[in-house]
Amino acid sequence: MPYHTITFYGFAFRALLRDRLNSLPIFDSYQRSSLRSVLSYAQKNVPFQRERLAKIDLDDIRLEDIPPTTKSAMMERFNETIGNGVVTLDEAVATDDGVHRSELPILHNKYLVHKSSGTSGKPSWMITGIREWAILRGSTLGRMMRDWLTLRRATTSLFAPVRCATLAAEHAHSMTWQAARSAQMWARPFVTAKFFPIIDSAERIVADLNQFHPEYLHAYPTAVEMLARYRLDGGHVGFDPGIISVGSEALTEMAREAIHRAFPRTILVDHYGMTECLPLSTQCHLQHKHLNIDYSILEPMNADGSPTAPGELSDHVLVTNLINKVQPIVRYRVDDSVRINYEQCPCGSVLPRVEVLSRKGSQIHLRSDRGAWQMLSPPIVVDTMLRSQGVGQFQVVHVRQNELEVKFIPQKGCAPSAVGASIEEQFTSTLVRLDCSRTVKVTAIQVEAFQRTEGGGKLIQTISLVPAPTPTQRAA
């Protein structure tokens, strides 16, 4: 059995075991030892972090003594954020050449490259060691499976592998795609994993999933909502997964209700994570997100930088990743508004609960060439823009039914006309796969600046000025 497969399943079991033991002292002890290990490595091997941690006593760690950092600060000194300089920014950027579409973008056979557009609108690069990635994936999967995977099904998986499907954007630097691809390599022989690109018509997606018949499905909330409405509208969806996990965007109450009506026997798990720290939380069967405090630290903060009182809504959060040492993430600012509840959940878990309130962007509903409704979700937009050349920042606005304006700021040194042409070319490719190429108009427009949200200064990347179709309109 490959080494990374052993690591993957070993940490999946450890995550599940700690969850079953359900002991707060055990969770706290693991968090303290992991934090000390990460900070010790960062002090010795990471120049960027060495400056921030110079006065930190590893025998008496006080997180509040470590100054917060940001994505822009780390990107400006990217090479100094990597342990022992094992990867450079030039090497990371060079992987974004299309060659890695079907393979993981791995450097020096040890380091996995991620790219994120982020809610600030500017792309960033992150590096994770392959072993740490196997730990992250195994730990996350172990927690998400806790309410579904029975001892009997685990035992029979050697002879009848669990069928796991991922429905998402097909981009080699996306963590969702990378998770699916690594599962194909490492999760065998107990799991059969398959990836399904979201940029396709609903009919083709459903037909392919019907043939695979997944027991476990991971997708964007909007993608699962699309499947749910397809079934509720009379379409043939011939599978009922035991578990559906969602992430990367907000799960609305409307979407949750539609999913439960379409898949009443399916466990729905809403995952909260990010490129900088994948396993932040996992949802229990009572639909409460529980913080994985043994793998990460989430600090809710007020606008003035002071800690938010328990139960109060934060202005932003500071994230610390307790697994990734190649590029340590320590008190890293993310402009998510959250509320943490430290009272024990009725489900029995001792892990704190978190409510996430600000991961939003409009869903865009388009009329396809055949008159059906097709959803253009924020992750599809991000995937399309990441494939466009020379884009610094962007915002897609649905100004009228089937009319899109793509506002953009070009990267320094890139000709706006060439950037605009690339955007329109990539959107044309996306719309062809969505069966919307003849009915949707896309116009790329260069702008000088964007209006941002108050407080954290987020850039809302997808905005729809067109109301969502009513049930009557969907049925027509």
Side-chain angles (χ1 to χ4, degrees):
M1 185 176 291
Y3 170 74
H4 296 310
T5 298
I6 296 173
T7 302
F8 177 87
Y9 280 112
F11 277 85
F13 176 77
R14 290 174 65 173
L16 196 57
L17 179 61
R18 272 198 298 273
D19 191 73
R20 289 288 184 262
L21 293 174
N22 199 35
S23 167
L24 195 56
I26 290 177
F27 281 119
D28 286 339
S29 175
Y30 196 88
Q31 183 188 80
R32 288 194 300 271
S33 64
S34 297
L35 177 62
R36 189 181 191 284
S37 178
V38 168
L39 296 187
S40 175
Y41 180 87
Q43 276 187 339
K44 297 174 184 176
N45 303 287
V46 185
F48 178 84
Q49 302 293 357
R50 187 181 300 128
E51 295 176 10
R52 302 175 62 226
L53 304 174
K55 298 181 180 180
I56 300 302
D57 180 359
L58 295 179
D59 294 322
D60 184 23
I61 299 172
R62 293 164 46 89
L63 275 178
E64 60 269 26
D65 292 338
I66 304 174
T69 190
T70 62
K71 177 171 72 174
S72 59
M74 291 188 66
M75 282 302 300
E76 287 173 5
R77 299 175 58 187
F78 180 90
N79 292 349
E80 297 177 61
T81 68
I82 306 298
N84 295 316
V86 294
V87 172
T88 67
L89 180 59
D90 288 343
E91 289 177 317
V93 173
T95 65
D96 194 18
D97 57 4
V99 174
H100 299 283
R101 174 62 64 176
S102 61
E103 296 298 331
L104 292 172
I106 296 174
L107 291 171
H108 312 306
N109 296 317
K110 292 183 179 181
Y111 310 107
L112 183 61
V113 182
H114 320 286
K115 182 182 180 183
S116 171
S117 69
T119 48
S120 68
K122 293 183 179 180
S124 64
W125 296 88
M126 303 294 298
I127 308 295
T128 305
I130 294 298
R131 182 178 182 275
E132 285 79 6
W133 177 247
I135 294 172
L136 284 166
R137 290 303 308 138
S139 304
T140 303
L141 185 63
R143 289 280 159 80
M144 283 198 286
M145 292 291 216
R146 62 187 173 192
D147 291 324
W148 173 74
L149 187 64
T150 63
L151 180 60
R152 179 180 178 182
R153 186 64 187 96
T155 302
T156 60
S157 64
L158 182 59
F159 311 100
V162 178
R163 296 182 304 279
C164 296
T166 300
L167 176 61
E170 190 177 19
H171 192 279
H173 291 85
S174 158
M175 272 196 164
T176 305
W177 182 89
Q178 292 172 348
R181 184 71 184 96
S182 55
Q184 290 174 332
M185 298 187 300
W186 301 338
R188 294 177 295 185
F190 307 106
V191 169
T192 298
K194 190 170 183 179
F195 183 87
F196 298 84
I198 186 60
I199 305 179
D200 208 341
S201 68
E203 292 81 4
R204 285 193 290 269
I205 290 172
V206 171
D208 290 343
L209 286 170
N210 281 342
Q211 186 175 13
F212 185 66
H213 212 268
E215 298 173 77
Y216 167 58
L217 172 65
H218 178 76
Y220 308 134
T222 47
V224 182
E225 182 183 6
M226 177 271 292
L227 296 175
R229 297 198 183 281
Y230 188 89
R231 170 177 273 185
L232 295 173
D233 291 343
H236 173 60
V237 177
F239 59 93
D240 285 278
I243 180 172
I244 294 176
S245 64
V246 296
S248 300
E249 58 183 13
L251 174 64
T252 65
E253 285 305 314
M254 186 180 297
R256 187 190 297 273
E257 190 270 338
I259 294 167
H260 280 307
R261 282 197 294 127
F263 301 99
R265 295 185 297 275
T266 297
I267 296 172
L268 180 61
V269 177
D270 186 10
H271 172 69
Y272 172 46
M274 57 192 66
T275 302
E276 296 81 6
C277 191
L278 189 64
L280 274 173
S281 80
T282 310
Q283 184 174 277
C284 69
H285 68 278
L286 296 179
Q287 300 179 0
H288 296 147
K289 295 184 182 71
H290 289 272
L291 289 173
N292 294 315
I293 62 174
D294 43 348
Y295 296 118
S296 61
I297 299 175
L298 186 72
E299 301 174 74
M301 308 298 288
N302 294 315
D304 63 2
S306 62
T308 303
E312 295 295 323
L313 184 65
S314 73
D315 173 76
H316 60 280
V317 296
L318 299 179
V319 176
T320 299
N321 186 323
L322 299 179
I323 297 177
N324 188 6
K325 292 183 179 178
V326 175
Q327 188 179 30
I329 301 297
V330 181
R331 305 201 83 205
Y332 178 97
R333 174 170 173 150
V334 177
D335 289 322
D336 281 352
S337 296
V338 307
R339 180 183 288 115
I340 295 181
N341 185 342
Y342 292 96
E343 295 181 2
Q344 185 165 347
C345 179
C347 79
S349 175
V350 297
L351 294 172
R353 288 173 279 169
V354 60
E355 181 183 1
V356 186
L357 302 179
S358 67
R359 310 194 99 206
K360 297 182 180 178
S362 298
Q363 315 302 331
I364 296 174
H365 298 267
L366 302 174
R367 275 285 198 180
S368 73
D369 299 340
R370 291 177 289 174
W373 289 101
Q374 182 68 54
M375 189 177 295
L376 184 69
S377 66
I380 294 178
V381 169
V382 168
D383 178 69
T384 301
M385 295 305 296
L386 285 176
R387 287 185 280 110
S388 304
Q389 300 298 311
V391 178
Q393 295 176 273
F394 71 89
Q395 185 177 72
V396 177
V397 183
H398 190 199
V399 291
R400 285 173 289 279
Q401 187 60 57
N402 281 28
E403 291 189 26
L404 303 175
E405 290 184 354
V406 184
K407 301 176 181 180
F408 71 93
I409 298 174
Q411 293 178 3
K412 186 176 181 180
C414 294
S417 58
V419 176
S422 178
I423 291 171
E424 293 181 3
E425 178 185 357
Q426 293 303 325
F427 261 94
T428 297
S429 175
T430 293
L431 293 171
V432 165
R433 296 174 68 179
L434 295 177
D435 287 340
C436 295
S437 60
R438 296 197 302 272
T439 54
V440 176
K441 178 183 177 182
V442 178
T443 305
I445 303 172
Q446 180 189 6
V447 298
E448 297 297 325
F450 293 104
Q451 182 177 353
R452 296 176 176 271
T453 58
E454 296 181 2
K458 283 190 171 187
L459 172 63
I460 304 299
Q461 293 176 319
T462 60
I463 297 174
S464 182
L465 305 181
V466 181
T470 64
T472 301
Q473 289 174 317
R474 296 186 63 89

